[in-house]
Amino acid sequence: MDTAIKSAYFQNVVKGKVVSGTDKLPLPGVTVLIKGTTNAATTDIDGNFEIAAAPGTVLVFSSIGFAAQEFTVGSQTNISITLTEDVKNLEEVVVVGYGTKKKATLTGSVGEINGKDVAKSPAVNISNGLAGRISGVVASNRGGEPGYDDSSITIRGLGTTGNADVLVVVDGIPGQVGGLSRLSAQEIESITVLKDASAAIYGSRAANGVILVTTKKGKKGSKTTVNYSFDQGFSSPTRLPDMADAATYGTIQNEIAYYNRPTLGMNQIYSDSDIQQFRDGSDPLGHPNTDWAKAALKKTSLQSQHNLNIQGGSENTNYFFSLGKLSQEGLYKNGVANYDQFNVRTNIDTNIGKRLKVGVSLSGRKEDRQFPIQSAGNIFRAIYRAYPTVAAIYPNGLPSRGIEGSNPLIDASRTAGINNNPTYVFNGILRGSFDFGAGFSADGFFSTDVSQSTTKSFATPFTLYDYNRATGNYDPFLLGGGADQQGSLYQAQRNIEQTVANIKINFKRKFGEHSVDAFVAYEQSENKDSNFNATRLHFPTTALPELSQGGAAGTDARNGGSSLNFTRLSYISRIAYDYKEKYLLDLQARVDGSSIFPKGNQYGFFPSISGGYRISKENWFNTEGFINDLKVRASWGKLGNDAVGNFQYFNNYGFNNRNVIGGNLASGIDLIKLANPNITWEVATKTDIGINATFLKNFTFEAVYFMQDRTKLLQARNASLPGSTGIVNPFGSDPLVPSENIGKMENNGFETTLGYRHNGEFSWGVSGNFTYTQNKIQYIDEAPGVLDYQRQTGRQIGTYLLYQTAGIFRTQEQLDATPHVPGANLGDLIYQDTNGDGVINPDDRIMSKYSNLPRMVFGLNLDAAYKNFDISVLFAGQAQVSQYILTESGTTGNFYSTWADNRWSPSNPNGSYPKVSESSGSSISGGNFRNNFWLQDASFVRLKNVQVGFTLPKDITEKYGIANFRMYLSAFNLFTITDFKDFDPETNSENGQFYPQQKIVNFGFNVQF
């Protein structure tokens, strides 16, 4: 019998389902091809397929972004296929500025994060999930307060002395109001980072790099699916410092008194009996031993997330709808620090005929922040300073005065008042496109963004108590509130509006082996920002916290406000050419105009050029050898940074109330800032040289060397101008002299990524990335006569000017033989005589090698899947980074255990820390001579994220009409390896008084119908 006839005769209908190896979710749109034929089928929205195939037939399963997989048909009629992501798939499309490109033809430095990876992090703030995932991205989480826990993000380090904010583009809208951080991870399809001259397509706003966020849309020809996910998290501080207990602190107070008055002996404040009672807890009223952090903070706080997605599409209309809610509790016991968010999004696209497409995207969000009257910094200042020898709450339940009238248990609670800060954000986009044929098309969009943020802060008076040992009474003290300890109310509202309109003409066509993809576009935007505020004092009752109910005196009511608006206008173009996808060329140009700058300087030209050569496309190249794909590329371009204060080309004036005319106070006008008629934007010139390769079929490699020269940085000449001119600081600290485009910096470095992917029933992958970047100030205004080794010019931005320490004075002979500052004694730090003149003075300070922005960042991503189990792990870290931190300790506040337990003292002459003093901020070994003893190495390696998942077998879920059910455990900031003491090494606080970063343990599930 003929083989073809035999095969057709014995064909069976083979049914099955295709799922992703990453998250076990169904994969729609997968091509199922009978090998060697043109017979094929496609999976539906649930990943299901059916195809007629004879036993022995080989089925090939393929989809963009996934490794192709073959399956030989046997006697089975129902099969399950798991596809693994293919990191080397060059057909994959990547979002770039104003369009998309194939990975194979990219000539710029572009990094991408899949939305599924973003959603694996239990951190509710999107910016906190970026660290370690893409080379070149430096994301530093400086604190963990709910609603205020954004990471600072820089691309390839810091290249400016001015505003370093990255431009965020959401669904094509540059600088969309609302930004990145508060988007829901369940709404995100991908995040793309433009790191080099490829960002020049965004012109005067692109110098600091660009982040492109694409939200999810429906799938063509797919049935409706419903996804619900729930996460329950438990957060706690990554690290809190251990504080000295009451016995230790009592001993320290005795030592401080002894150093001040040595003739009176060692027990001037507390007797040995007092110290013992602090230690054994025998007198909790008179000799308490208070752990203020334990008293004020919970061990864990809760956070939860709910998200519902509906997605689908027909032949002509695709739709996506998302509804989400999240809630975060603060750390304070009985506190009012909470963040709640509600978000909704819908994306709809439809074809009207064969040529016209229209779409609409609508999203809304309510960010409801609630926090205490006192800032987080003030509350943690009180926690760390409060004496352990003072009770937080007396045994009878009355609150103590804490430290200087600040009791963090009360400050964090509703008793002291409450600050409500809801923010409403709306984003709307209307877009359309028309295909003219012959490669020509047009598209455009109109967007409007609105944000309204209101603040209502009502401070209420409250009573704290001091236990009087002599009388046995609890003496009351009325504190808090506003003036005269009466209620005070502050209300404010800020409104932000942005509209953006864009029209674009495209041409995309192939001419034999030549491909051209080009466009020209026009874009304009308008921004409005207004705010007003009002204050009312002396409320007779706290029962009516409304502006109309405050004091009646004229001085009890105050108000203020301001507004601004500015516009931008842009002409944009790009031409991308390639020959056989072997020779690649990309030209971009943008002309930007801005009302922020004066006439004559309102327009700037921002060009870029990039090219690539895919050596592996040459006929002589053996793609089946060691190297399978090889591309070298380079780029150059000019980009701008217009994030400066508005209207600096005018003289700025302000009202004052310092004039008395006829015995009455009259308002006057001050000139507060001189005009700069030549102000313009910063200019960044970026150059990249890179290589991309795939080798041994499963390895991917990328290496890039980058250079950036930043010129025209805005700086004031308030260092080189002498004060005698009278134009430096006549009114307050803000210079009268205008900012000028005089600064210069350079920023160079390299980044690399290496990945491996193994496909099969047990699939796994690993990818590591590394970035090194070093900036250098080429010009900054400095006072004449500054010593060479103290100049900022020629050094990294943000370094510290410090005395260098060389140990601790331990003997009188050593003290007498060594230059020292006036008043130095045994137990104080030894300062190096840098210039060798025999005197310790400010000339001996030198600049530190590193700043608190790391030169090195790195990440390691691992994932694996076997049958119904999957796991993903992300490590992130930084190196060559320093942080100065000196706590507020002495009789002014408690000591951290690292200092208290290791201090020099007459009984511990070998202590590794200097002796204690009245105030660390003004002591010889502390803030009075700012020195590198308190400069710590902030390098670390951290388990940033881990998730372990299990997908229920299909034979279980299908019984209940469930397409997919996956449950998982995840964690964020689970552990950290570092030499940094007391605090989280990502902090940039110099005194430790900040809301700590959070560690999160989370469980959740996802169900799909």
Side-chain angles (χ1 to χ4, degrees), residues 689-818:
I689 301 173
I691 182 172
N692 294 79
T694 301
F695 61 96
L696 294 178
K697 296 189 176 179
N698 293 317
F699 288 90
T700 56
F701 174 73
E702 179 183 47
V704 183
Y705 176 75
F706 55 86
M707 297 169 284
Q708 176 185 179
D709 288 314
R710 191 77 70 101
T711 58
K712 299 184 179 180
L713 303 180
L714 273 177
Q715 296 170 1
R717 296 184 190 272
N718 56 326
S720 58
L721 287 173
S724 58
T725 62
I727 62 171
V728 181
N729 292 302
F731 304 111
S733 60
D734 192 36
L736 180 65
V737 293
S739 295
E740 300 176 68
N741 298 102
I742 57 176
K744 296 180 181 179
M745 280 186 66
E746 66 177 37
N747 186 32
N748 305 323
F750 65 89
E751 62 184 45
T752 184
T753 303
L754 177 64
Y756 174 81
R757 170 67 57 188
H758 172 78
N759 298 314
E761 184 179 18
F762 174 63
S763 61
W764 60 279
V766 58
S767 176
N769 62 77
F770 174 84
T771 303
Y772 176 84
T773 176
Q774 182 175 0
N775 62 58
K776 182 189 294 185
I777 298 172
Q778 295 177 313
Y779 179 82
I780 192 171
D781 187 56
E782 298 190 80
V786 173
L787 299 168
D788 287 343
Y789 53 85
Q790 293 184 347
R791 293 178 64 84
Q792 297 179 68
T793 303
R795 291 183 171 83
Q796 180 178 344
I797 190 172
T799 51
Y800 303 91
L801 183 61
L802 305 170
Y803 289 92
Q804 303 301 292
T805 56
I808 295 172
F809 287 115
R810 302 189 187 278
T811 66
Q812 189 62 44
E813 293 76 16
Q814 184 185 30
L815 179 63
D816 294 340
T818 307

Side-chain angles (χ1 to χ4, degrees), residues 110-165:
V110 178
E112 186 181 36
I113 308 174
N114 190 295
K116 293 178 182 178
D117 292 328
V118 177
K120 289 177 181 178
S121 173
V124 299
N125 189 313
I126 296 297
S127 68
N128 292 333
L130 301 184
R133 294 196 182 274
I134 301 180
S135 64
V137 176
V138 183
S140 300
N141 181 216
R142 303 304 194 181
E145 184 176 10
Y148 298 95
D149 54 352
D150 289 19
S151 288
S152 63
I153 299 175
T154 57
I155 307 299
R156 292 177 168 175
L158 190 62
T160 178
T161 56
N163 188 308
D165 290 346

Side-chain angles (χ1 to χ4, degrees), residues 193-211:
V193 182
L194 308 182
K195 298 180 278 189
D196 67 338
S198 60
I201 199 72
Y202 290 102
S204 65
R205 305 167 73 183
N208 297 323
V210 178
I211 294 177

